[in-house]
Amino acid sequence: MSEAGPSATSADVVIVGTGHGGAQAAIALRQQGHEGSILMIGREAHPPYERPPLSKEYLAGDKIWERIMIRPEKFWADKGIELRLGSGVTSIDWMRHSLTLSDGSEIGYRKLIWSAGADPRRLGIPGANLKGIYYVRDRRDADGMMAALEDGAKRAVVIGGGYIGLEAAAVLRKLKCDVTVVEMQDRLLARVAGTAISDFYAEEHKRQGVNIRLSHGVSEVLGQGGQVAGVLLDNDETLPCDMVIVGIGIVPAVAPLIAAGAAGSNGVDVDVFCRTTLDDIFAIGDCAAHANPFANSAVIRLESVQNANDMANTVAKAIMGDKQPYHALPWFWSNQYDLKLQTAGLNIGYDDTIVRGDPATRKFTVVYMKECRPIAFDCVGTMKDYVQARKLLESGPEKIDPALLADADVPLKEMI
């Protein structure tokens, strides 16, 4: 195949998606010695950049755009990696090893890495198309929120009490906005954390001045002159606001893959080398459904930078002939106010929790247990616990005395 150039029609490796996974795949291929052409295709007009800061440091103004770029723009050209930005993939012909872009052009490939991630789940209620609704999934939304704040927006409703919503709420409070969080479940973070973490963050947000509405849905976004003016809850309560932030989950961006015949129901299925069921097509990151060894081999998708980067490394090695099964401990983080939550492992199927330390001190750890074995840790301000927890989980821990785990004076490393 021809080498990727200014208007390449083919490349040895085509990477769809310019987020963390796609960028790391390109970087890792060069690090592994790949000398062939690499073409990255991205729907956004921007070179690869970090997504997590959009709801944290970037939105708060603590990091400028250049500081959240994964690499300086010049890096990609220096490494011989072509970026084709502002283009989406509409279809794939896996038998011909080609794909069609949104502008109608065709690109051939020898190997294809699908790292398109996911799209934010959109509101499906009246008023969902009003101006002033933001999903904080890309730079456009974050920039739109920042512009609205500069124009005087002071009241925000956050729909969804997950990490994205709560991180945005924390930043908006820092920027002196009135904030109300609306969550359908009976507690915050219900899908990702136990009650100890949910209760702690609910109290923290209330202490910071956030209003919280639990066990309520949104019936309609109210507008005035095409602009958001309020939110109507399912109990007929109206929350006046100048902007709405939505964090109600994501939808894997895999439609062209599935239409081409790839297996998958929740995302696209991949094996231990991140290969899809279509020849020479790999998938990584948020959209890749895989049997995870830290979830008792349950087939799951992981929405994390760690997963995207580690899967990218797995694929780069496989393409270069060094096949190593994906086996990486999942980890996550969330910054809210001056609090740092670090998670190690997956709490899927836990049957008990143990709290190390006192939440009142704003430094504590929640241990998730399954059949008397720790499977995950949520560490709030306890960096030492987090570092040692990762090593403990990677060691494949046996049954541990709950009293020992509950004693914050006993280092986790002594239980390895």
Side-chain angles (χ1 to χ4, degrees):
M1 288 194 173
S2 64
E3 219 174 282
S7 57
T9 58
S10 65
D12 292 312
V13 179
V14 171
I15 300 170
V16 178
T18 53
H20 288 274
Q24 181 58 31
I27 292 168
L29 280 167
R30 289 295 186 233
Q31 290 174 336
Q32 294 290 323
H34 178 76
E35 297 179 353
S37 53
I38 301 174
L39 170 63
M40 295 181 67
I41 300 170
R43 288 182 293 176
E44 290 188 68
H46 310 292
Y49 66 92
E50 300 175 24
R51 267 57 176 184
L54 292 177
S55 59
K56 307 181 187 77
E57 301 95 333
Y58 182 71
L59 179 59
D62 296 333
K63 279 190 176 181
I64 61 174
W65 168 247
E66 287 73 18
R67 287 188 60 202
I68 71 169
M69 294 178 70
I70 292 176
R71 292 289 191 278
E73 190 166 0
K74 184 175 178 290
F75 169 89
W76 307 104
D78 289 347
K79 294 296 182 181
I81 299 167
E82 182 186 354
L83 301 180
R84 187 161 301 183
L85 304 174
S87 297
V89 174
T90 57
S91 65
I92 299 170
D93 187 333
W94 66 272
M95 296 187 71
R96 292 179 57 240
H97 279 54
S98 71
L99 45 82
T100 302
L101 303 187
S102 51
D103 63 5
S105 61
E106 280 197 8
I107 303 293
Y109 63 85
R110 185 173 61 84
K111 302 288 185 183
L112 175 63
I113 303 174
W114 190 269
S115 183
D119 298 311
R121 191 176 300 280
R122 302 275 167 173
L123 293 175
I125 56 177
N129 295 320
L130 288 167
K131 293 180 181 178
I133 299 177
Y134 305 98
Y135 290 84
V136 207
R137 186 70 181 178
D138 56 33
R139 183 188 180 184
R140 180 180 57 184
D141 263 6
D143 285 350
M145 291 176 64
M146 293 163 72
L149 292 167
E150 289 176 2
D151 288 342
K154 288 295 184 184
R155 300 170 300 174
V157 170
V158 177
I159 302 175
Y163 286 127
I164 292 293
L166 295 183
E167 288 166 0
V171 171
L172 290 170
R173 282 302 296 144
K174 177 183 177 181
L175 299 175
K176 309 303 181 184
C177 275
D178 292 331
V179 181
T180 300
V181 173
V182 180
E183 168 57 51
M184 289 188 67
Q185 302 286 335
D186 61 0
R187 60 186 178 91
L188 301 177
L189 302 170
R191 300 168 187 83
V192 294
T195 55
I197 292 292
S198 296
D199 293 346
F200 172 78
Y201 275 96
E203 288 305 311
E204 182 65 26
H205 279 277
K206 290 176 184 176
R207 190 176 70 84
Q208 298 283 354
V210 175
N211 299 303
I212 299 175
R213 301 287 193 279
L214 298 176
S215 303
H216 285 300
V218 175
S219 301
E220 182 178 355
V221 180
L222 307 174
Q224 185 174 351
Q227 179 73 28
V228 164
V231 166
L232 178 66
L233 302 186
D234 55 11
N235 64 347
D236 292 330
E237 180 185 5
T238 297
L239 303 173
C241 63
D242 308 308
M243 65 167 64
V244 172
I245 295 87
V246 183
I248 55 174
I250 61 175
V251 180
V254 295
L257 276 178
I258 301 303
S265 54
N266 177 23
V268 61
D269 294 343
V270 298
D271 66 9
V272 294
F273 304 112
C274 300
R275 299 177 298 192
T276 71
T277 54
L278 303 180
D279 290 345
D280 295 324
I281 299 181
F282 300 80
I284 61 178
D286 291 1
C287 66
H290 62 286
N292 192 284
F294 292 94
N296 200 26
S297 295
V299 176
I300 61 173
R301 290 186 305 103
L302 279 181
E303 301 165 12
S304 73
V305 172
Q306 166 272 317
N307 177 60
N309 286 342
D310 286 329
M311 281 189 159
N313 293 332
T314 295
V315 170
K317 290 177 181 177
I319 288 176
M320 296 303 294
D322 180 19
K323 290 185 177 180
Q324 297 184 23
Y326 175 75
H327 187 92
L329 176 71
W331 53 265
F332 317 83
W333 80 94
S334 178
N335 295 335
Q336 298 171 47
Y337 307 110
D338 60 337
L339 295 166
K340 188 174 187 70
L341 168 65
Q342 295 170 290
T343 297
L346 298 171
N347 64 22
I348 297 172
Y350 71 91
D351 52 33
D352 194 13
T353 59
I354 297 169
V355 177
R356 287 169 56 87
D358 183 2
T361 67
R362 302 173 84 238
K363 290 186 177 182
F364 68 103
T365 295
V366 176
V367 188
Y368 296 87
M369 306 290 287
K370 185 175 183 179
E371 297 174 355
C372 299
R373 293 178 174 83
I375 58 172
F377 293 76
D378 278 335
C379 305
V380 179
T382 51
M383 173 66 79
K384 186 178 292 186
D385 268 6
Y386 170 70
V387 172
Q388 296 179 12
R390 289 182 59 170
K391 294 178 180 179
L392 177 61
L393 293 174
E394 287 169 346
S395 73
E398 295 299 321
K399 293 183 178 180
I400 299 177
D401 181 359
L404 199 61
L405 281 167
D407 190 343
D409 292 328
V410 178
L412 293 173
K413 65 183 180 181
E414 294 185 8
M415 306 174 205
I416 297 175

